[in-house]
C-alpha cells in the first residue's frame, strides 16, 4: 500500500468506490459493513464506565474527499471507536485538499479551532524536507503500522481501543452527554498506546473526538527511504 491515498491494490479502489456509491444511494450499512472483518467490533458503553471494555474498527481504505468522508462517518461513527477512525480519515482528506479536509476535521471533532487546524496544517501539509511534517500520521495508529515499514498498516485498516480504566466518564453539561475516555494502540510511540476522548453531542447522530491531541502528536520518524512510500 502507498500512503496518502495512492491505493496499492485495485480491489481497494473498487471497494472504496462501491462503498461511497452505496452510501450515496442510501445503502450505507450494506456498503461499509459488507464482510465480517469490516466495521465496528466489540463494545464500549455509551453511558457508563466499565473497566476492561475494548473494541476495534476496520475499514478498507481512508477516504480522500469530503464526500467519501461523509459516507464513512455515516457508517462507523455511531460507535466511539468509529469516531476515532473518522478523525484519522479527516486528517487524510486534509493531506489531499485543505478546504475539504478542514470541513472533515470540523465534522469529526468537537469544537475544533483555528489554532488546532493551523497545527495540523504544519504537520500534514508542510514541505517534505521539514522533519516536523508527518503526512503519514493518518495511517500511523492502525494495526501493523510502524516506523520501520513507513507506517504501512495491515489490511483492512484496523484501530484498536480500550476504555481508560483510570478515568470514569464525565458528563459535559452543555451537551448533557458523557465524555468517554479511551486508549488506542499505536506503534508510533514506545509507550504502545495514546489517549483520546469522544462525545456524542445531544443533537448529533455521531460520536466525535473531544480531546484528540494524541492522534496527531509526533510519532517516531521512519527511515528516510520509507517516508514517501
Amino acid at each position: 500500500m502507498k500512503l496518502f491515498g495512492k491505493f496499492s491494490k485495485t480491489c481497494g479502489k473498487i471497494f472504496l468506490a462501491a462503498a461511497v456509491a452505496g452510501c450515496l444511494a442510501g445503502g450505507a450499512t450494506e456498503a461499509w459493513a459488507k464482510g465480517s472483518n469490516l466495521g465496528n467490533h466489540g463494545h464500549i458503553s455509551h453511558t457508563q464506565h466499565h473497566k476492561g471494555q475494548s473494541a476495534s474498527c476496520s475499514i478498507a481504505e481512508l477516504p480522500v474527499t469530503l464526500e467519501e468522508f461523509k459516507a464513512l462517518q455515516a457508517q462507523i461513527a455511531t460507535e466511539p471507536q468509529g469516531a476515532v477512525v473518522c478523525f484519522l480519515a479527516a486528517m487524510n482528506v486534509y493531506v489531499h485538499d485543505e478546504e475539504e479536509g478542514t470541513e472533515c476535521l470540523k465534522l469529526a471533532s468537537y469544537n475544533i479551532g483555528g489554532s488546532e487546524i493551523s497545527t495540523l496544517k504544519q504537520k500534514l501539509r508542510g514541505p517534505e524536507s521539514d522533519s516536523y511534517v508527518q503526512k503519514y500520521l493518518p495511517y500511523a495508529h492502525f494495526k501493523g503500522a510502524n516506523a520501520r515499514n513507513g507506517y504501512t498498516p495491515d489490511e483492512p485498516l484496523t484501530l484498536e481501543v480500550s476504555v481508560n480504566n483510570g478515568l470514569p466518564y464525565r458528563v459535559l453539561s452543555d451537551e448533557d452527554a458523557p465524555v468517554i475516555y479511551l486508549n488506542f494502540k499505536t506503534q508510533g510511540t514506545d509507550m504502545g498506546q495514546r489517549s483520546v476522548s469522544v462525545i456524542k453531542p445531544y443533537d448529533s447522530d455521531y460520536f466525535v473526538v473531544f480531546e484528540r491531541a494524541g492522534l496527531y502528536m509526533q510519532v517516531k520518524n521512519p527511515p528516510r527511504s520509507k517516508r514517501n512510500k
Side-chain angles (χ1 to χ4, degrees):
M1 173 190 296
K2 289 189 177 182
L3 300 189
F4 317 140
K6 295 180 180 179
F7 307 141
S8 63
K9 293 189 176 181
T10 302
C11 62
K13 294 181 180 179
I14 294 173
F15 182 88
L16 182 59
V20 173
C23 290
L24 295 177
T29 300
E30 293 78 11
W32 283 107
K34 188 175 181 180
S36 60
N37 63 333
L38 297 177
N40 291 307
H41 301 279
H43 179 66
I44 302 292
S45 174
H46 296 185
T47 57
Q48 295 183 327
H49 181 256
H50 296 288
K51 292 182 179 180
Q53 285 191 329
S54 62
S56 66
C57 182
S58 296
I59 62 174
E61 292 286 353
L62 288 178
V64 296
T65 68
L66 173 60
E67 186 176 62
E68 293 169 2
F69 170 83
K70 287 181 177 179
L72 178 63
Q73 185 180 44
Q75 181 57 33
I76 66 173
T78 54
E79 295 295 332
Q81 65 271 26
V84 183
V85 170
C86 279
F87 187 80
L88 298 177
M91 288 201 297
N92 195 59
V93 177
Y94 192 78
V95 168
H96 291 274
D97 185 285
E98 184 174 355
E99 183 176 350
E100 289 202 350
T102 298
E103 183 63 24
C104 291
L105 289 169
K106 290 177 179 179
L107 290 172
S109 310
Y110 186 80
N111 287 352
I112 191 168
S115 61
E116 196 171 359
I117 291 176
S118 178
T119 297
L120 285 162
K121 182 174 182 177
Q122 291 178 319
K123 289 175 179 284
L124 299 175
R125 297 189 61 83
E128 300 286 353
S129 58
D130 186 349
S131 61
Y132 181 73
V133 175
Q134 296 190 320
K135 294 186 178 182
Y136 41 80
L137 270 173
Y139 290 86
H141 308 309
F142 287 108
K143 188 175 181 179
N146 58 64
R148 297 183 304 280
N149 63 21
Y151 292 106
T152 303
D154 298 338
E155 296 182 354
L157 308 183
T158 299
L159 184 79
E160 299 175 309
V161 307
S162 59
V163 169
N164 188 320
N165 290 333
L167 286 176
Y169 298 2
R170 70 177 179 89
V171 174
L172 186 69
S173 57
D174 284 350
E175 300 295 342
D176 192 26
V179 177
I180 300 173
Y181 297 94
L182 304 171
N183 295 322
F184 61 92
K185 292 184 179 180
T186 176
Q187 294 186 58
T189 173
D190 291 333
M191 294 287 291
Q193 68 176 22
R194 282 183 175 168
S195 60
V196 66
S197 63
V198 303
I199 190 171
K200 187 176 182 181
Y202 78 94
D203 58 350
S204 174
D205 294 327
Y206 309 128
F207 283 93
V208 295
V209 290
F210 186 75
E211 295 159 309
R212 49 200 169 253
L215 291 167
Y216 59 81
M217 289 172 59
Q218 295 293 99
V219 294
K220 293 183 285 187
N221 280 323
R224 195 171 295 273
S225 62
K226 298 283 188 180
R227 292 182 191 179
N228 297 319
K229 296 296 181 64

